[in-house]
Amino acid sequence: MLEVDGLVAGYGDIPILREVSVKLAPGEIVGLLGANNAGKTTLINSLSGIVKPMSGRILLEGQDISGTTARQRVELGIIQVPEGRLVFPEMSVRENLLLGGFCDRARPHRPRQMEKVLALFPRLKERLQQPAGTLSGGEQQMLAIGRGLMAEARILMLDEPSLGLSPLFVQHIFEIIDQLHKNGLTMLLVEQNLNLTLRHARRCYVLERGHIAVEGTAEVVRDDPRTRQAYLGL
Ligand code: ATP
């Protein structure tokens, strides 16, 4: 469904990603692992069009979308749930969700989509009028995912959804991720939490200082000594 081919990307003229190639099949959860600063967010930002490629290609269903803008990527259904959630704190839960569905493709379907999101997150339903900034960290993560779903995501990219959450909330968020997977959504799961990712993603890539050090099924990645080396920076 999505193919990244030899991507070089970074900031200014400094490349962070070096010849990165990644594939996502329809309906797959793919894990993207790596230590701090490995380049995981840079890859997500390249997929969502925030960071422009220096070279290499990004293909969606075989079509080269490397030159498209962030706005166009949203219209194509490539949706990012950013690290740190980044909800709009002064706006209500409802307003945050409605904003998620603001793109041309999703706007006509907002009422239907809102129902689906609230069925998935009953906790948000109870708090629709509450300012998003007053939600707990776990509730904000639910809201950030809900907002991404409101855009009728075809590929949902989750940047460190477990970050800073209590174990109970982490478990809940991952149950939701499994549920979305059962519903057929394609997801890229970016995590530092190795064991959690290996449990939920069928295939994984390990980024190490801007290049893919290991790739394969969760079992292959788990058993490859380079995976732990990438984390420990050996
Ligand atoms: P973390 O797990 O800490 O979020 P990461 O794997 O997501 O790390 P990135 O955020 O992609 O890593 O950062 C990779 C490198 O790119 C880092 O060295 C970082 O300093 C650099 N970088 C990130 N954003 C920018 C920016 N806007 N301008 C310049 N350099 C940046």
Side-chain angles (χ1 to χ4, degrees):
M1 185 165 189
L2 188 77
E3 187 174 352
V4 177
D5 180 22
L7 183 70
V8 179
Y11 306 95
D13 49 12
I14 300 171
I16 300 291
L17 301 176
R18 294 175 285 138
E19 299 278 339
V20 167
S21 296
V22 165
K23 278 185 192 176
L24 268 83
E28 208 180 18
I29 304 186
V30 170
L32 179 65
L33 293 155
N36 278 123
N37 290 341
K40 304 182 297 296
T41 300
T42 304
L43 179 54
I44 283 213
N45 285 344
S46 303
L47 294 174
S48 59
I50 296 169
V51 170
K52 302 286 168 218
M54 293 169 178
S55 61
R57 294 187 311 162
I58 300 169
L59 305 167
L60 179 68
E61 289 167 334
Q63 243 190 327
D64 192 344
I65 58 161
S66 319
T68 55
T69 62
R71 186 178 172 159
Q72 288 167 324
R73 303 273 171 104
V74 171
E75 291 293 350
L76 290 168
I78 302 176
I79 306 296
Q80 176 170 8
V81 179
E83 182 177 340
R85 8 268 187 220
L86 306 187
V87 297
F88 300 103
E90 315 277 314
M91 297 172 80
S92 68
V93 167
R94 185 168 183 278
E95 287 166 334
N96 268 273
L97 289 173
L98 287 175
L99 265 185
F102 201 72
C103 65
D104 292 344
R105 193 174 41 86
R107 207 177 313 147
H109 313 299
R110 284 197 295 184
R112 187 193 67 199
Q113 202 63 17
M114 177 79 96
E115 255 178 54
K116 278 196 201 167
V117 168
L118 296 179
L120 202 59
F121 297 111
R123 231 179 151 106
L124 295 182
K125 193 171 182 177
E126 293 160 16
R127 292 166 170 76
L128 272 179
Q129 305 310 330
Q130 195 171 320
T134 63
L135 296 176
S136 73
E139 290 163 353
Q140 288 190 19
Q141 185 63 60
M142 292 175 190
L143 180 55
I145 295 174
R147 186 179 55 184
L149 295 173
M150 285 295 294
E152 305 218 308
R154 295 173 63 213
I155 298 174
L156 193 69
M157 303 186 294
L158 298 147
D159 199 350
E160 309 225 9
S162 74
L163 196 71
L165 301 190
S166 66
L168 206 62
F169 263 117
V170 171
Q171 193 189 330
H172 184 57
I173 292 293
F174 274 80
E175 282 165 11
I176 294 290
I177 290 170
D178 285 343
Q179 182 61 48
L180 294 172
H181 175 56
K182 281 201 193 103
N183 297 348
L185 184 63
T186 308
M187 282 176 279
L188 180 63
L189 176 60
V190 173
E191 266 292 343
Q192 278 195 45
N193 188 323
L194 183 64
N195 292 326
L196 198 58
T197 308
L198 293 174
R199 272 209 303 276
H200 293 268
R202 198 173 56 88
R203 278 194 320 113
C204 294
Y205 295 87
V206 181
L207 257 184
E208 184 186 16
R209 278 172 273 152
H211 76 97
I212 303 287
V214 190
E215 65 178 275
T217 61
E219 294 75 37
V220 165
V221 168
R222 185 191 58 213
D223 295 341
D224 193 316
R226 289 172 302 171
T227 300
R228 278 162 219 279
Q229 278 168 19
Y231 271 86
L232 297 171
L234 297 174

